Each structure stands twice: as C-alpha cells, then as structure tokens.
Amino acid sequence: QKEVEQNSGPLSVPEGAIASLNCTYSDRGSQSFFWYRQYSGKSPELIMFIYSNGDKEDGRFTAQLNKASQYVSLLIRDSQPSDSATYLCAVTSFMDSNYQLIWGAGTKLIIKP
Amino acid sequence: IAGITQAPTSQILAAGRRMTLRCTQDMRHNAMYWYRQDLGLGLRLIHYSNTAGTTGKGEVPDGYSVSRANTDDFPLTLASAVPSQTSVYFCASRAGPNTEAFFGQGTRLTVV
C-alpha cells in the first residue's frame, strides 16, 4: 500500500512568521509532487508542484523535495491570516497499471493575527 | 462551462433511493476521478477513468458505479443510498499522469 503521510495539526503560526508543512511518502518511484490548499467548505486548489530535488519558489511559497529521504515540504513566508486552511500533499505513484495520485490527509494551518 | 462542474451542489437523499452525481469538464482531460472526503479521513478515491470508455475501482468503490461514455462527462451513481454515504464528493480531472488535478466545487450529500 503506497502512502502519503502528513501531521494533521492543527499547526498554529503567528502572523508574519514562516509556516513549515511536511509530507512523507512511501513510493521511491514517485515522480511528481503537489501541494494543495483547501479552505473549509471549498474544493482543493493547487498551490505548487515540484518534480526535481531541491527548492522551487513561487512568491511567498517554497516547495522542497528530497527524494532520497522521501519527503516534500512547503514553506509559507510572511504568513497571513488568509493562509489559514488545510494543506494537502499529493504524490503520483504507479499502481494498478496506471499513475494514481495518492493523497495525504492534510495539515490544518492556523495563522494567528 | 469553465473548468470542471459538478451538480448538484448539495442534496438530501432518503436511504434506499438512487442518485446520480454529475461531473463535466471542458478541458479535454483524459483522466477523471471521483473522491469522497470525510472529516479526518482526507480524500478517498471511489472510481477513476484514465480515458473515455474505461473505468477503474479506487479505494472505496462499494455502493458506487461510474461510466465514461465520452471525454467530458463522468457521472457517479449511488444505486441504493445508505447513511454511510453521507459525505462531500469531489470530481477531479487531469491531463496526464504527472500533471496536477483540477477539482469541481463539490457535492455535499446527506443520506437520511
């Protein structure tokens, strides 16, 4: 069974600080990694994707991938109250003869003003 | 239509009734998915389709069926609803095996 694991939280971070969200995965063959944000009562929306080891930056968001250690993280700089949401990690794995997205259960992030 | 659309947005359904949740996308994506999301359990895959004419079972397929007659539409049917099928249902699509998934707005289903 291929798995993606996240700390469920809640993770509480002061406004303006850096929020660090982590995700580990079991399939060493995974090639693509995604971070989604989900506000309460809404559908998940893509924040970032990363395919290669290292860092990828987009505005206040940085995704970090370490395939050797099988983890991917998301850093949010200058956290804002509007960043309060559940963050879902998703990893593509090859299973049952096709590529499937395997989802973590999500980390609830709370930004305190 | 822009992106992926689900209908209805919410529904209260009597146990034992049949119900079809609709999902339509206009992005010409090959792959489509149905998930259910319950508090604390994250997204669980019900059924998927990698291309028109093919479907597959996900993690929690029992009590659900799907069809994929064309690229755009991927309806999910509950043949005889039970209270444990109370959940939020999301339809999603993606273009290829390593691309991101796009989600519909979700259907909140309550079976009483």
Side-chain angles (χ1 to χ4, degrees):
Chain A
Q1 181 75 359
K2 297 178 181 179
E3 297 179 336
V4 174
E5 301 209 356
Q6 298 180 252
N7 188 319
S8 62
L11 175 65
S12 185
V13 173
E15 183 176 358
I18 296 175
S20 178
L21 304 163
N22 298 311
C23 171
T24 59
Y25 59 94
S26 63
D27 180 13
R28 283 197 170 275
S30 293
Q31 295 294 319
S32 53
F33 308 85
F34 306 90
W35 281 102
Y36 284 77
R37 176 177 62 201
Q38 186 177 25
Y39 292 115
S40 180
K42 301 294 186 181
S43 57
E45 56 180 344
L46 181 72
I47 298 176
M48 292 191 72
F49 61 88
I50 185 167
Y51 298 146
S52 303
N53 273 331
D55 295 359
K56 180 182 179 182
E57 187 174 319
D58 184 1
R60 295 187 297 112
F61 299 95
T62 299
Q64 299 176 318
L65 175 62
N66 184 323
K67 289 187 178 181
S69 300
Q70 294 175 243
Y71 81 79
V72 57
S73 61
L74 180 70
L75 302 179
I76 306 174
R77 290 181 299 282
D78 188 23
S79 296
Q80 303 297 309
S82 59
D83 295 325
S84 297
T86 295
Y87 288 80
L88 304 173
C89 173
V91 174
T92 299
S93 284
F94 189 76
M95 52 191 295
D96 297 330
S97 304
N98 68 105
Y99 288 93
Q100 294 285 3
L101 269 175
I102 310 299
W103 294 86
T107 298
K108 184 173 183 178
L109 176 65
I110 299 172
I111 306 300
K112 298 185 299 183
Chain B
I1 297 177
I4 185 165
T5 303
Q6 293 182 233
T9 55
S10 67
Q11 182 76 44
I12 299 174
L13 185 67
R17 297 297 292 268
R18 181 183 179 90
M19 173 78 187
T20 295
L21 308 185
R22 300 185 299 278
C23 176
T24 299
Q25 53 107 356
D26 64 355
M27 297 175 284
R28 309 301 294 172
H29 286 172
N30 286 320
M32 297 188 74
Y33 308 87
W34 274 106
Y35 295 95
R36 60 178 289 173
Q37 188 175 40
D38 304 289
L39 195 64
L41 293 179
L43 290 165
R44 291 187 292 168
L45 182 64
I46 304 172
H47 285 287
Y48 64 91
S49 169
N50 288 328
T51 188
T54 69
T55 62
K57 294 182 179 180
E59 180 186 355
V60 287
D62 294 342
Y64 306 94
S65 63
V66 292
S67 61
R68 187 87 183 276
N70 56 62
T71 297
D72 298 346
D73 301 301
F74 191 44
L76 176 73
T77 297
L78 290 67
S80 179
V82 295
S84 62
Q85 292 177 311
T86 294
S87 188
V88 179
Y89 291 85
F90 288 106
C91 181
S93 71
R94 59 177 183 162
N98 283 306
T99 61
E100 71 267 31
F102 294 83
F103 284 82
Q105 74 272 40
T107 295
R108 184 174 296 275
L109 180 67
T110 303
V111 182
V112 297

